[in-house]
Amino acid sequence: QTVVTQEPSLTVSPGGTVTLTCASSTGAVTSGYYPNWFQQKPGQAPRALIYSTSNKHSWTPARFSGSLLGGKAALTLSGVQPEDEAEYYCLLYYGGAQRVFGTGTKVTVL
Amino acid sequence: EVQLVQSGAEVKKPGESLKISCKGSGYSFTSYWIGWVRQMPGKGLEWMGIIYPGDSDTRYSPSFQGQVTISADKSISTAYLQWSSLKASDTAMYYCARQGKAVAVDYWGQGTLVTVSS
């Protein structure tokens, strides 16, 4: 059973920078896993932020960026705003039907 | 404007069947995959499976194979998720989401809450 692990929680000050990571139990995450990142606020559907490692959707704020870092997928929030407080999930593609979400990271802006 | 609109909340008893829907609009429904995602109360997201409405190519995540059926009717731009015999453990929010090229998951439905209780 493939497990995708994220930090359970991170705290950042307004205006600060925070990096979330996404690790695969199968080994290093590469661009071939087509990492996606999503933001979910309480009571809302997830919202897509990043696809294919680092590509932004037309609605993704510039302060969000995706990358590969030390064998993991990473999402960096720069110049954090209070409205960025949310749960963040990564999604990795393993081929065929198999896509696996990460365990989620709760980001608190304090 | 791309939209995925899901059917309303359902309350069912264990053993009953159920089919929920996801209607796409504002784009070519047959040119994008539609995936289904489960979120149990207070828990994370789980990928269930995906269908390509253009040819009904359907693929299930191992955990959901045999537990649910995914289908689509391209004539009405609607994808479906169905159960033949619900269990209490199927209680969850279910989302549909569109997937395009480069495995880009972009638009999401608003979710359908399924409650299974005797």
Side-chain angles (χ1 to χ4, degrees), chain A residues 40 43-46, chain B residues 4-12 17-23 34-41 45-46 48 68 78-83 86 89-97 108-116:
Chain A
Q40 187 179 34
Q44 296 184 16
Chain B
L4 295 175
V5 179
Q6 297 186 230
S7 49
E10 301 274 1
V11 179
K12 292 288 190 179
S17 62
L18 176 64
K19 192 173 189 177
I20 63 175
S21 66
C22 169
K23 183 173 175 60
I34 293 286
W36 286 95
V37 175
R38 182 175 78 175
Q39 188 167 38
M40 299 176 78
L45 304 174
E46 299 174 89
M48 301 175 71
V68 296
T78 301
Y80 301 98
L81 177 66
Q82 70 180 86
W83 295 259
L86 286 159
S89 57
D90 292 317
T91 294
M93 182 71 82
Y94 292 88
Y95 296 101
C96 62
W108 291 69
Q110 82 278 19
T112 296
L113 181 62
V114 174
T115 303
V116 184

Side-chain angles (χ1 to χ4, degrees), chain A residues 4-80:
Chain A
V4 177
T5 304
Q6 299 180 238
E7 297 85 2
S9 64
L10 293 168
T11 299
V12 59
S13 301
T17 297
V18 65
T19 296
L20 290 62
T21 66
C22 173
S24 172
S25 62
T26 61
V29 176
T30 65
S31 58
Y33 287 80
Y34 298 93
N36 280 247
W37 289 92
F38 306 94
Q39 177 193 66
Q40 187 179 34
K41 296 183 179 179
Q44 296 184 16
R47 180 175 78 129
L49 295 173
I50 299 287
Y51 68 95
S52 200
T53 305
S54 58
N55 293 280
K56 298 179 188 181
H57 296 282
S58 58
W59 54 81
T60 304
R63 62 184 180 274
F64 291 88
S65 62
S67 64
L68 295 175
L69 204 61
K72 301 177 185 180
L75 176 71
T76 299
L77 288 65
S78 306
V80 169

